[in-house]
């Protein structure tokens, strides 16, 4: 009986934390038709995603299997390459399904 109650409580907490992430998981278009973002999962404040986009310099950037810090209240995610470029990509998820992406000058993709 005790194990069943604990299991129900844990299951409820997991479902409540992922309820807000359900509208983020999936495929999103970048603004100005410059690429796509595919969100694989959101667990707590960690987001697993793939990004394919074309920066203004004309190259194509493909990032697969990356993780970003995600804030569900602001619907913003930040991907960091290393400690020298802490905010390589900033992603803002909009209610219309688009994503606004800002690439830091230090990003070496």
């Amino acid at each position: 009986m005790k194990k069943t109650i604990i299991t129900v409580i844990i299951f409820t907490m997991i479902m409540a934390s992922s309820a807000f992430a359900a509208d983020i998981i999936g495929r999103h278009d970048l603004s100005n038709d410059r690429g796509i973002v595919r969100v694989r999962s959101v667990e707590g404040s960690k987001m697993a995603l793939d990004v394919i986009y074309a920066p203004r310099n004309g190259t194509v950037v493909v990032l697969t299997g990356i993780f970003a810090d995600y804030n569900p209240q602001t619907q913003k995610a930040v991907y960091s390459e290393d400690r020298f470029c802490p905010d390589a990509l900033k992603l803002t998820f909009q209610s219309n399904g688009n994503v606004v992406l800002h690439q830091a000058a230090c990003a070496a993709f």
Side-chain angles (χ1 to χ4, degrees), residues 23-45:
D23 57 341
I24 294 295
I25 295 174
R27 184 180 173 272
H28 302 271
D29 293 324
L30 290 177
S31 58
N32 299 329
D33 295 325
R34 294 179 50 209
I36 61 168
V37 174
R38 182 173 172 235
V39 178
R40 294 176 177 261
S41 66
V42 177
E43 294 180 14
S45 64

Side-chain angles (χ1 to χ4, degrees), residues 3-106:
K3 289 182 182 180
T4 305
I5 293 173
I6 291 172
T7 304
V8 170
I9 291 171
I10 291 172
F11 180 75
T12 305
M13 289 173 52
I14 291 171
M15 293 304 290
S17 67
S18 63
F20 298 107
D23 57 341
I24 294 295
I25 295 174
R27 184 180 173 272
H28 302 271
D29 293 324
L30 290 177
S31 58
N32 299 329
D33 295 325
R34 294 179 50 209
I36 61 168
V37 174
R38 182 173 172 235
V39 178
R40 294 176 177 261
S41 66
V42 177
E43 294 180 14
S45 64
K46 287 291 180 190
M47 174 183 281
L49 64 149
D50 301 327
V51 181
I52 301 171
Y53 73 103
R56 299 202 191 280
N57 63 7
T59 61
V60 175
V61 177
V62 178
L63 302 170
T64 58
I66 63 171
F67 292 91
D69 293 323
Y70 177 66
N71 184 342
Q73 294 175 338
T74 61
Q75 292 196 347
K76 293 184 180 183
V78 176
Y79 167 69
S80 299
E81 289 187 276
D82 57 32
R83 63 188 174 111
F84 298 112
C85 192
D87 298 336
L89 290 179
K90 292 181 182 179
L91 301 100
T92 303
F93 293 84
Q94 299 178 329
S95 59
N96 63 0
N98 287 343
V99 177
V100 177
L101 184 141
H102 296 283
Q103 178 179 332
C106 61

